[in-house]
Amino acid sequence: MQNEHKLKELICEIGRRLYAKGFAAANDGNITVRLSDREFLCTPTMVSKGFLKPEDICKVDLEGKQLAGTKKRTSEVLLHLAVYKQRPDVMACVHCHPPHATAFAVAQEPIPKCVLPEVEVFLGEVPIARYETPGGQKFADTVAPYVQDCNTIILANHGTLSFGPDLEKAYWNTEIIDAYCKILILARQLGRVNYFTGQQTKELLDLKKRLGYDDVRFRKEGACMCGPSSFDDAYDEFVPEPVAFRRNDAACPSGNGRASAAPDTEELVRLITDQVMAALAGAAV
Ligand SMILES: [Zn+2]
């Protein structure tokens, strides 16, 4: 078993980073670390993540029953346990509400892929889990269909859940998704987002494989790597539809990878305006 006190100190340190980055307002967010197959450290409820002390950290079992700690464990621990149950390789989980990624969660806008190299390599595809009232098993069940094939999940109308082989890496995934969402929003405001071509994406995924990272797309042989979401099969009654980041170049992998992020309505307005102006010019002759 790892040094429990050192892990508690690291949870406090990651909590301070979450709070300093504005990823967890007030008492928001929670952090867990796997100690063994049966024991997990977790943050307490109603304590700001910016001011945690090692003695505040609780211990729970795989069903969420509190084993140690003077403070009450977070009500959202079942969400983390849903990840540990499916992924023996995962040693830590971070849940919080980083504003840019949470904006995508509120818009229920799928996270576009094939835009930035680091995101392809470190995150890969990021699914959106349907909304459920936080806390409880029904809430935890919302992530179950995706856990096997990703390391970061957007929780619709709520926030993010990221996980990894240690706590720092699990936290980094939260930083990466929020920085990515911020860049996407800024690029969208500039009016255009360019995507990688099929070939450029393939090169990145080859690199990813060489670096030893997993990607759901490695298991979808033949499927276009920058085409529809690999999670489309996992979505059932809740299917997030792209609006702000809809790609126009459906032709994949021969698509040129360049697509406007502007909604089709803008193009339509321009066409109509051109026709009206042409008609007016004709009438004036
Ligand atoms: Zn939350």
Side-chain angles (χ1 to χ4, degrees):
M1 189 180 288
Q2 307 161 74
N3 183 319
E4 201 173 308
H5 187 74
K6 279 233 152 16
L7 287 172
K8 286 181 178 175
E9 285 180 338
L10 185 60
I11 290 174
C12 298
E13 161 61 22
I14 295 297
R16 283 190 288 273
R17 290 193 216 172
L18 283 180
Y19 190 69
K21 294 277 281 181
F23 291 175
N27 301 326
D28 288 354
N30 29 79
I31 302 167
T32 57
V33 169
R34 183 201 292 273
L35 287 173
S36 69
D37 288 347
R38 286 160 287 111
E39 294 187 332
F40 304 83
L41 294 176
C42 83
T43 48
T45 189
M46 300 303 281
V47 177
S48 167
K49 301 301 135 346
F51 302 89
L52 285 169
K53 295 187 290 296
E55 56 268 33
D56 294 333
I57 308 301
C58 316
K59 195 188 286 184
V60 297
D61 69 10
L62 194 54
E63 305 313 315
K65 196 171 116 246
Q66 187 147 353
L67 303 172
T70 51
K71 293 202 159 73
K72 193 174 176 297
R73 59 108 164 133
T74 169
S75 62
E76 288 175 329
V77 75
L78 297 179
L79 180 74
H80 301 235
L81 295 170
V83 177
Y84 294 120
K85 282 177 184 173
Q86 279 197 51
R87 292 278 302 270
D89 59 310
V90 166
M91 296 304 284
C93 299
V94 174
H95 161 64
C96 59
H97 311 152
H100 305 92
T102 305
F104 277 73
V106 169
Q108 298 183 359
E109 176 76 25
I111 305 295
K113 53 185 176 175
C114 307
V115 175
L116 281 180
E118 285 78 6
V119 174
E120 292 304 307
V121 172
F122 295 116
L123 296 191
E125 289 195 40
V126 176
I128 304 184
R130 68 182 160 78
Y131 177 79
E132 189 62 59
T133 306
Q137 193 55 46
K138 259 177 93 179
F139 169 59
D141 290 344
T142 61
V143 297
Y146 316 110
V147 165
Q148 206 60 249
D149 290 317
C150 64
N151 59 29
T152 303
I153 300 174
I154 304 284
L155 310 176
N157 292 73
H158 186 160
T160 58
L161 175 67
S162 66
F163 35 97
D166 62 49
L167 180 51
E168 187 143 47
K169 291 201 178 80
Y171 166 73
W172 282 349
N173 292 339
T174 298
E175 274 198 1
I176 295 169
I177 189 65
D178 199 61
Y180 182 43
C181 290
K182 186 177 184 178
I183 291 163
L184 287 168
I185 292 165
L186 290 172
R188 179 71 183 76
Q189 283 173 356
L190 291 173
R192 191 168 54 181
V193 170
N194 291 300
Y195 296 87
F196 296 138
T197 61
Q199 181 56 31
Q200 288 167 332
T201 306
K202 189 182 170 304
E203 280 178 29
L204 278 171
L205 290 184
D206 286 348
L207 172 71
K208 182 170 188 172
K209 206 176 239 174
R210 285 202 300 279
L211 291 171
Y213 291 100
D214 185 38
D215 193 291
V216 60
R217 287 168 284 183
F218 297 160
R219 296 186 280 286
K220 305 250 170 182
E221 222 49 68
C224 175
M225 292 183 166
C226 47
S229 166
S230 301
F231 296 105
D232 278 357
D233 298 345
Y235 292 127
D236 40 31
E237 76 273 23
F238 169 71
V239 185
E241 292 285 352
V243 174
F245 293 89
R246 194 170 48 218
R247 286 186 71 163
N248 300 328
D249 59 336
C252 189
S254 54
N256 64 8
R258 305 178 77 82
S260 168
D264 295 338
T265 44
E266 284 180 24
E267 177 70 5
L268 201 62
V269 167
R270 194 182 59 77
L271 268 172
I272 292 167
T273 310
D274 286 354
Q275 282 179 16
V276 169
M277 293 308 284
L280 286 174
V285 172

